[in-house]
Amino acid sequence: MARTVARVIVDALSELGVRQVFGVVGDALNPLTDAIRTTDDVEWVGCRHEEAAAFAASAQSQLTDRLGVCMGTVGPGSVHLLNGLYDAAKSRTPVLAIAGQVPLSELGSDAFQEVDNDLLFRDVAVFRATVTDPDQLPQLLETAVRNALGHKGVAVLTVPGDLGDRELHHDRPARFSLTTPTTRPEASAVRRAADLLSSADRITLLVGQGARAARKDVLALADRLAAPMVLTLKAKEGFEGDNAFQIGQTGLIGNPAAAGAMHSADTLLLLGTDFPYRDWYPEGRKVIQVDTEPAHIGRRVPVDIGLVGDVGATVRDLLDQLSAEPTRPDGAHNRGHLEQARKHFLSWREDQARLADPAHDKSLVGKVRSALDNREHGIRPEALAAAVDRNATDDAIFTSDTGMATVWLSRFVEMRGTRRLLGSYNLGSMANAMPQALGAQHLDRDRQVVAFCGDGGLSMLLGDLMTLKTYQLPVKLVVFDNRRLGMVKLEQEQAGLPEFGTVLDNPDFAAVATAMGITGIRVTDPADLDDAVRRAFATEGPVLLDVLTNPDEIAVPAKPTVEQGWGFAVAKMKELLRSHGDETQH
């Protein structure tokens, strides 16, 4: 078989363990997709939109810690990759994008569809290059892959349309030898951190994704320090289940117990997190931060001691130092801080469980109720999320759209067992849940994959429902159909603004799915909810569960302010007056 540029690239992807390549076929990619066609262990997944392809590749990378691969052809095809690639970059996961380009002889001539890919991808990629001669391979490909894997980021390799089927003059196979070292901070810095922790009275841990591989060590440290453990959203996976120290999330999607534990602590220990919301860090606390990236130290909150190293190795060093002598004269930290945080958290969870009862609204009959409370008689989104949690398997993979779908997942779905979680939690893009689920399901068709879709997000990339149908991927799409851009609605109301521009004129999504050859189930009655969720999970193949939820249901922030409360009240009054005015005009 001729050693063409396309063949070298595809053979190398096969050697790297890449099993799917996501994209949309066309012109400059034709030699590459033909090479995939004739390769047994690499599958081409034809998506309807390149953005979905990039999200799918990124999802595979995040789930496997291996290279994800997507392709976009000349001009618009490559441009469409950008949003999914930005999500991969912000998620710090290795993705290789193969971008098409006009023929070499046309470069710089403003040819039809010509785009300067090296300029286009400059901000998003840790490496980008254009192949201008076949003999640049395999070295240029090796460099791209090593950068993506080594820097946990996006690499873009541009292949002009007249180079893919050209032969190399040599036959050297690609080599991708790359090892990941374990790093640890200097012993003197660990000693200072241990001294600070030993003298602290109330310690709270803020634990992120970077600590997930060190679960056992982190739990041991929490026990040694009697410290409640606040989890970032990405740390739900790995730390939420069977953990007597965790107290959920802080931030806008969080709970008052976690916010309280942060603010009542005298010392914060940040483990493997770059939690970006500065307003949610308390001021005037002693702070120790552990991270593999020096640039992450102190960029969100002032840090007293920064420990640059792997969380597992660093925590083990800290445990050795803390075990050398009692942390307090009585031999143990005061456990009251931990016990109070856990008590507050468990009480909050009980209150939330009542909201998840589908009959909750009926229990309010006879009491004073707002005229705007569930005026469309929608199902409580809390009840939907709780029903999914009850019925999903303990090894399910969950994806969630940015916005209220993520709020309900964070509060009502527990990452127990070997459950996994993906979302656009750093970039905050819409429309990520369904294409991420597409990529996840391709990894294992027998593993349950559940996408928490907002109606706005789902409709944005609705065409790739057909990709699920074409490849018969048994993804379960749970649509929180509140006919709103729910998070934007909440933002407006908290600022004292009436809801504007957020209402969505949705179709019957279940009927749309049925028309596409996908099982569609629509739920409008709370009494039917649990049976519908069970039926969706028991049905073979892809299923879209369209649940009409209450658009007026709000998620109260972990520490609501007086200003937010007044803003919400003023907004609701404006909405009521506007609604009344509309009625009187008709």
Side-chain angles (χ1 to χ4, degrees):
M1 188 177 294
R3 295 281 292 172
T4 62
V5 167
R7 174 52 56 193
V8 167
I9 291 173
V10 173
D11 286 352
L13 296 181
S14 173
E15 180 187 336
L16 284 163
V18 174
R19 293 297 169 257
Q20 284 89 30
V21 176
F22 302 87
V24 178
V25 297
D27 40 69
L29 294 185
N30 288 336
L32 287 151
T33 52
D34 190 63
I36 293 173
R37 180 185 64 81
T38 57
T39 301
D40 291 336
D41 56 359
V42 179
E43 178 185 13
W44 173 257
V45 180
C47 297
R48 299 304 177 101
H49 196 295
E50 289 89 353
E51 181 178 344
F55 271 123
S58 174
Q60 289 200 337
S61 176
Q62 291 179 66
L63 290 168
T64 63
D65 292 324
R66 298 197 303 267
L67 189 72
V69 181
C70 57
M71 294 188 183
T73 193
V74 181
S78 293
V79 172
H80 283 165
L81 291 172
L82 267 175
N83 196 52
L85 293 182
Y86 265 103
D87 190 76
K90 296 276 280 185
S91 299
R92 301 200 62 210
T93 199
V95 170
L96 173 66
I98 305 293
Q101 184 55 282
V102 299
L104 277 175
S105 60
E106 298 292 332
L107 277 176
S109 68
D110 194 23
F112 174 64
Q113 292 193 323
E114 182 183 4
V115 169
D116 185 342
N117 284 348
D118 291 341
L119 179 62
L120 176 70
F121 294 108
R122 181 173 64 182
D123 183 53
V124 73
V126 295
F127 177 86
R128 64 201 184 285
T130 297
V131 181
T132 58
D133 187 291
D135 289 331
Q136 290 176 289
L137 295 179
Q139 183 177 0
L140 200 58
L141 176 64
E142 292 169 341
T143 303
V145 170
R146 288 194 186 112
N147 272 274
L149 293 172
H151 293 290
K152 297 181 180 179
V154 173
V156 179
L157 193 64
T158 294
V159 181
D162 55 348
L163 277 186
D165 55 7
R166 286 177 58 182
E167 294 187 22
L168 280 65
H169 294 114
H170 57 81
D171 195 26
R172 178 175 79 77
R175 301 184 182 96
F176 297 103
S177 177
L178 185 68
T179 59
T180 303
T182 297
T183 59
R184 58 200 330 136
E186 294 180 358
S188 60
V190 175
R191 178 69 257 175
R192 291 197 307 275
D195 289 342
L196 178 54
L197 293 171
S198 296
S199 63
D201 185 47
R202 297 178 308 281
I203 301 167
T204 294
L205 306 184
L206 179 59
V207 179
Q209 179 186 20
R212 290 196 319 214
R215 172 186 165 92
K216 182 179 178 181
D217 296 317
V218 173
L219 290 177
L221 182 63
D223 187 39
R224 183 78 175 110
L225 300 175
M229 187 184 300
V230 178
L231 306 179
T232 67
L233 186 56
K234 287 188 172 184
K236 271 175 68 74
E237 174 194 324
F239 282 102
E240 191 168 47
D242 191 25
N243 181 352
F245 304 97
Q246 72 93 8
I247 53 172
Q249 285 84 61
T250 187
L252 287 173
I253 67 172
N255 70 78
M262 294 277 285
H263 283 264
S264 62
D266 56 47
T267 303
L268 300 177
L269 176 56
L270 281 51
L271 298 175
T273 179
D274 192 33
F275 183 71
Y277 306 103
R278 295 182 181 180
D279 289 346
W280 293 87
Y281 290 97
E283 296 180 357
R285 306 310 191 270
K286 295 293 185 181
V287 179
I288 302 169
Q289 183 176 2
V290 181
D291 203 292
T292 56
E293 294 295 325
H296 290 181
I297 301 294
R299 73 173 178 176
R300 309 301 185 189
V301 63
V303 167
D304 295 274
I305 301 175
L307 302 176
V308 179
D310 293 286
V311 171
T314 304
V315 168
R316 287 190 293 274
D317 288 348
L318 280 172
L319 284 168
D320 288 342
Q321 293 284 351
L322 292 168
S323 299
E325 60 185 46
T327 56
R328 295 175 60 86
D330 58 3
H333 273 279
N334 179 359
R335 301 190 78 84
H337 177 56
L338 169 62
E339 291 166 359
Q340 177 61 31
R342 282 286 293 177
K343 180 180 178 181
H344 193 183
F345 173 63
L346 294 175
S347 174
W348 175 80
R349 285 216 305 191
E350 289 178 4
D351 291 341
Q352 292 290 298
R354 284 192 284 273
L355 294 176
D357 182 353
H360 179 76
D361 280 342
K362 293 180 180 179
S363 71
L364 297 176
V365 172
K367 300 180 180 180
V368 177
R369 297 181 58 183
S370 165
L372 296 177
D373 182 31
N374 207 2
R375 60 179 181 255
E376 296 183 21
H377 307 290
I379 294 168
R380 286 188 170 271
E382 301 98 330
L384 173 55
V388 171
D389 181 57
R390 286 193 301 273
N391 290 286
T393 61
D394 283 356
D395 69 343
I397 298 172
F398 292 89
T399 67
S400 69
D401 270 334
T402 298
M404 299 307 293
T406 289
V407 174
W408 308 128
L409 181 144
S410 72
R411 294 188 175 188
F412 293 95
V413 176
E414 182 184 43
M415 291 295 114
R416 58 182 175 269
T418 56
R419 288 178 170 181
R420 302 294 305 272
L421 176 61
L422 291 174
S424 184
Y425 301 141
N426 292 86
L427 181 64
S429 173
M430 289 179 65
N432 61 282
M434 182 262 289
Q436 285 181 327
L438 188 160
Q441 193 72 82
H442 264 293
L443 291 173
D444 186 349
R445 288 175 174 267
D446 295 325
R447 187 170 184 176
Q448 190 178 76
V449 178
V450 182
F452 271 45
C453 298
D455 45 3
L458 178 71
S459 56
M460 190 175 281
L461 285 176
L462 192 62
D464 271 287
L465 280 181
M466 283 307 301
T467 308
L468 298 180
K469 165 62 169 57
T470 298
Y471 293 91
Q472 278 300 300
L473 298 171
V475 171
K476 312 308 177 190
L477 302 169
V478 179
V479 184
F480 287 74
D481 189 352
N482 64 357
R483 288 79 64 207
R484 297 295 192 281
L485 296 174
M487 186 63 80
V488 179
K489 175 180 184 290
L490 183 59
E491 291 167 352
Q492 290 174 347
E493 291 172 340
Q494 286 183 344
L497 302 173
E499 178 186 5
F500 179 76
T502 65
V503 177
L504 301 176
D505 183 16
N506 288 339
D508 179 335
F509 286 113
V512 171
T514 300
M516 290 182 172
I518 294 171
T519 300
I521 302 171
R522 188 171 172 88
V523 187
T524 60
D525 188 334
D528 299 332
L529 182 60
D530 229 53
D531 285 343
V533 172
R534 283 195 293 268
R535 180 156 62 97
F537 287 167
T539 300
E540 293 185 2
V543 177
L544 187 150
L545 180 67
D546 183 16
V547 181
L548 270 64
T549 57
N550 176 17
D552 294 304
E553 189 71 5
I554 64 170
V556 179
K559 50 170 189 174
T561 65
V562 173
E563 290 80 6
Q564 287 173 331
W566 274 112
F568 188 78
V570 169
K572 284 300 184 185
M573 184 59 67
K574 290 178 180 176
E575 290 171 8
L576 181 60
L577 292 173
R578 184 179 63 186
S579 176
H580 181 70
D582 290 343
E583 291 171 1
T584 58
Q585 290 173 19
H586 291 79

